Amino acid sequence: MSRRQEEIIEIIKASGPITGKQIAEKLSLSRAALRPDLAILTMAGTIDARPRVGYFLSMNPSPPPFVRGTVQKSVSQYKAHPIVVQASASVYEAIVQLFLEDVGTLYVVDESGHLAGVISRKDLLRASIGTRSLEEIPVSIIMTRMPNIIMIGQDETLLEAARKMMEFQIDSLPVVKEVDKTTHTYSVIGRITKTTIVKAYLEIAGL
Ligand code: ADP
């Protein structure tokens, strides 16, 4: 969306319904100069126009195709196999695992196989600085641990997964299944990464 289109939306948001002539005046533009942008916004479904009333924000704006696509796709359709390590595994073993599996994040599980934490590339790098005994430090010491793990269920949408990764500034989400409500235990059944979202984007765009 262009800067001018954003300005038009702001004006309509604040003063709609408002006529094209009034919007043009507020922007110090001619009606003719404004017409293409109003046409684009109307066609995109962002704004609506009614004769003799003016322009107003559309009640149910149609989301752009990618958003529509990700709203419809569920996490279960796109989830990849989760790569897990035991909480007792050493930082050294985790680094080896990261390279062998070619992933950026490992999920840490306890002896019962339940999600206990997450280890990212930077967590491992941080632990590697100033420590020579990477074989002796268990990953459980350096991982981000429950209950601070951001997870996603397989019936949630890809859009929700994308939103969580952006909001919490993380690269990946474990896809989980609740094992026990009272103890808040989860088993890891998959992973969604930023790459998953890019892949879905290309697929939905037909590229
Ligand atoms: P990197 O640290 O390699 O840039 P991230 O941005 O994913 O990768 O991780 C940033 C921090 O957030 C790390 O400390 C990591 O342990 C933590 N983290 C990663 N994924 C999650 C998650 N799903 N829930 C909670 N914390 C996470």
Side-chain angles (χ1 to χ4, degrees):
M1 204 181 288
S2 72
R3 180 80 201 99
R4 184 181 294 168
Q5 287 164 8
E6 282 172 9
E7 281 171 353
I8 294 171
I9 288 172
E10 283 310 310
I11 292 172
I12 295 177
K13 214 183 261 174
S15 323
I18 179 167
T19 65
K21 185 161 168 272
Q22 289 168 319
I23 300 172
E25 277 165 13
K26 279 185 189 281
L27 290 171
S28 310
L29 289 170
S30 69
R31 275 241 53 197
L34 195 61
R35 205 161 286 133
D37 285 320
L38 286 175
I40 288 168
L41 291 172
T42 309
M43 277 190 299
T46 314
I47 60 173
D48 266 334
R50 210 168 289 146
R52 283 184 297 280
V53 176
Y55 293 92
F56 51 93
L57 280 193
S58 176
M59 291 318 240
N60 31 17
S62 94
F66 175 62
V67 175
R68 262 202 313 273
T70 51
V71 165
Q72 286 156 0
K73 306 277 186 207
S74 71
V75 160
S76 63
Q77 287 172 272
Y78 281 89
K79 71 175 166 35
H81 186 65
I83 308 301
V84 300
V85 285
Q86 294 291 323
S88 55
S90 70
V91 169
Y92 181 87
E93 284 168 318
I95 294 172
V96 170
Q97 184 83 340
L98 199 84
F99 279 101
L100 282 179
E101 301 284 355
D102 195 17
V103 291
T105 310
L106 300 169
Y107 303 134
V108 183
V109 293
D110 62 20
E111 316 84 65
S112 326
H114 300 147
L115 180 62
V118 168
I119 292 272
S120 76
R121 272 181 278 231
K122 261 184 252 144
D123 294 332
L124 293 168
L125 280 174
R126 200 181 300 118
S128 308
I129 297 174
T131 308
R132 270 172 240 282
S133 51
L134 296 180
E135 278 108 335
E136 281 147 39
I137 308 168
V139 286
S140 55
I141 301 281
I142 65 157
M143 69 187 184
T144 301
R145 64 194 63 249
M146 288 290 267
N148 299 326
I149 304 300
I150 313 300
M151 309 172 274
I152 189 116
Q154 64 171 343
D155 297 327
E156 292 187 67
T157 64
L158 271 194
L159 188 67
E160 183 57 19
R163 200 190 59 70
K164 279 188 175 172
M165 285 191 278
M166 289 314 292
E167 182 180 345
F168 294 97
Q169 299 183 14
I170 48 180
D171 292 348
S172 106
L173 294 172
V175 182
V176 296
K177 207 172 181 168
E178 194 168 50
V179 178
D180 190 338
K181 235 190 180 69
T182 50
T183 55
H184 294 294
T185 42
Y186 298 86
S187 58
V188 192
I189 58 170
R191 81 188 139 97
I192 292 280
T193 65
K194 285 182 177 166
T195 306
T196 318
I197 305 293
V198 176
K199 199 171 136 212
Y201 176 86
L202 291 176
E203 235 175 79
I204 293 163
L207 299 171

